[in-house]
Amino acid sequence: MKYNKIILAGGNGYLGKVLTAYYRDKATEIVILSRSPKAVSGNVKTLVWDGKTPGDWVSSLQGAQLLINLCGKNVNCRYNKKNRAEIFASRLIPTKLLGDVIEKMEQPPQLWINITSATIYRHAEDRPQDDLHGEIGSGFSVDVCTSWEQTFFATHTPKTRKVALRMGIVLGISDSAFPYLLRLVKFGLGGHQGNGRQYVNWVHQQDAAKCTEWVMENPDLNGSINCVAPYPATNNALMRTIRKVYGMPFGLPAPAWLLRIGALVIGTDTELILKSRWVLPTRLLNSGYQFLFPKAEDAVKDILSGNK
C-alpha cells in the first residue's frame, strides 16, 4: 500500500533513520521535524521546529496518515538534576505541543504514535509483564514514562487515533545498545553484566519499523502497546548469543560493583544495564502480528551478517 504522508517528529536520530528507510518506498512524502535544517532528498524533506512552539511546520501535519513522535533526550547519561530535568522536558513539551496543535486541526493525522519505553514496568525476575496486566514500576525512569504517557493521552484529539508504543531496546548495527555490546564481545569482555539474570526487552530494528505500519493498518489498536520481541533474553543469554554468533569463545563478566565504577567514569547510570525488563508484546501477538525476528539468535545473525 502507498501512504500519502508520514511525519517523523524528532526523526533525525537512530530510530528516525530506520523509519525513514522503511517508509521511503511506501510513502509519497516523508516529513521530518527537526531542530536543524537538512537538504531535501527525494521524497524526504526536513522542516525546522523547536519542539516548543507552533510554526510553519504545523501545516505539514494536515492530512497525514501517520505521525510518529520520537522526541526525547538520550537517557544514556548520569541522572543528575540537570539531566533529569532535560529528560522530562524533551519528552513532555513536544508531546503536549503536538497534542495542542492536532486538537485544533481540520484534517489532523489519522494516527499518532508516541514512541515511549517498555521500561515503564517494574523490575521483574519472577514473571513477565505485558500490556494487559503488567505492573508499573517505580523510580526515575518509570516516572518519566508515566508522565510522558499521561501527557500524551491527556490531549483531546477525537479525529486522531493515539498509540503509545512502549519500545524495547532497538537492536541494529549502527547505533543504540548493540554496537556497545558487540565492542565488549570483540575485546573479550562480553560476559554477563551484574548477575546476568536480569531480562533484556529487545526488538530488531526492522520489527520496530514494521510494528508502526501494523498499528496503522489495524485501526482497532489504540492505547499503550508493547513493542518488544516475544522471546526476551536474560543478559547472560543475550551476551552468550552475541559471542556465539560473532565467534568469540569467551567473555569476561562484569560484576555490579565494577559496572557502578564504570558508569561513573563514562557518565551513565547502571539502571540501564541492571534493571530486569521482562516484558511481552501480548497485544501485538493477539492482533496477529508476526515478528520478523522473534528470537535473539536470529536477530543477532541478521545484524552481524556482513558486519564482522
Side-chain angles (χ1 to χ4, degrees):
M1 180 177 178
K2 195 78 169 181
Y3 305 110
N4 65 342
K5 184 162 51 176
I6 308 291
I7 311 292
L8 303 176
N12 277 332
Y14 165 55
L15 186 53
K17 292 174 181 176
V18 170
L19 290 164
T20 298
Y22 182 81
Y23 282 110
R24 185 181 290 272
D25 295 329
K26 293 174 177 285
T28 302
E29 182 182 15
I30 299 173
V31 178
I32 297 172
L33 303 183
S34 172
R35 286 180 170 82
S36 56
K38 298 279 184 178
V40 174
S41 175
N43 62 338
V44 181
K45 70 176 183 179
T46 299
L47 297 179
V48 176
W49 80 327
D50 61 5
K52 300 175 182 178
T53 55
D56 294 340
W57 58 268
V58 171
S59 61
S60 69
L61 272 60
Q62 290 280 1
Q65 284 178 274
L66 174 63
L67 162 66
I68 303 178
N69 179 23
L70 300 146
C71 294
K73 175 182 168 65
N74 196 321
V75 295
N76 187 15
C77 61
R78 292 297 296 171
Y79 291 164
N80 55 37
K81 184 176 180 180
K82 177 177 179 291
N83 285 336
R84 285 174 182 248
E86 290 180 356
I87 287 171
F88 266 106
S90 66
R91 286 158 174 76
L92 272 56
I93 294 174
T95 299
K96 186 176 186 306
L97 171 63
L98 288 169
D100 291 342
V101 165
I102 289 172
E103 189 174 5
K104 301 170 185 175
M105 295 180 70
E106 290 294 325
Q107 288 184 297
Q110 295 174 23
L111 170 65
W112 174 12
I113 294 177
N114 226 43
I115 302 296
T116 62
S117 174
T119 197
I120 195 169
Y121 300 103
R122 68 171 173 84
H123 177 100
E125 295 183 30
D126 54 337
R127 64 179 181 83
Q129 309 294 304
D130 71 2
D131 35 20
L132 294 178
H133 308 293
E135 300 170 46
I136 304 302
S138 60
F140 172 68
S141 60
V142 173
D143 291 343
V144 171
C145 293
T146 302
S147 298
W148 199 1
E149 292 194 9
Q150 286 175 346
T151 300
F152 177 54
F153 289 116
T155 51
H156 182 61
T157 58
K159 297 179 182 179
T160 300
R161 177 165 57 104
K162 293 195 288 193
V163 169
L165 204 57
R166 293 173 174 172
M167 194 75 70
I169 297 172
V170 180
L171 297 186
I173 195 63
S174 65
D175 207 336
S176 192
F178 189 83
Y180 166 76
L181 298 177
L182 181 60
R183 282 196 297 272
L184 292 178
V185 167
K186 287 180 177 180
F187 289 106
L189 302 174
H192 60 78
Q193 285 101 37
N195 61 26
R197 294 193 297 270
Q198 70 273 27
Y199 278 84
V200 181
N201 58 22
W202 61 274
V203 62
H204 188 286
Q205 64 179 25
Q206 287 303 304
D207 274 310
K210 186 184 174 187
C211 281
T212 64
E213 185 177 21
W214 180 262
V215 171
M216 185 161 44
E217 294 297 325
N218 287 267
D220 291 338
L221 291 174
N222 53 51
S224 298
I225 297 175
N226 294 339
C227 184
V228 295
Y231 294 98
T234 63
N235 173 268
N236 188 34
L238 179 60
M239 297 308 299
R240 185 170 62 245
T241 295
I242 299 174
R243 293 198 309 271
K244 174 186 173 183
V245 175
Y246 184 75
M248 174 61 73
F250 67 92
L252 297 176
W257 64 267
L258 183 59
L259 289 173
R260 293 187 181 96
I261 294 174
L264 286 172
V265 172
I266 65 175
T268 188
D269 198 282
T270 55
E271 182 199 30
L272 299 174
I273 302 171
L274 298 179
K275 180 177 178 179
S276 184
R277 300 168 171 87
W278 190 357
V279 182
L280 296 180
T282 301
R283 293 192 63 198
L284 278 177
L285 294 175
N286 287 351
S287 71
Y289 182 77
Q290 295 184 351
F291 280 82
L292 299 172
F293 301 95
K295 296 184 178 180
E297 185 166 351
D298 296 328
V300 174
K301 284 180 178 178
D302 178 77
I303 295 167
L304 287 183
S305 177
N307 286 288
K308 283 192 176 184

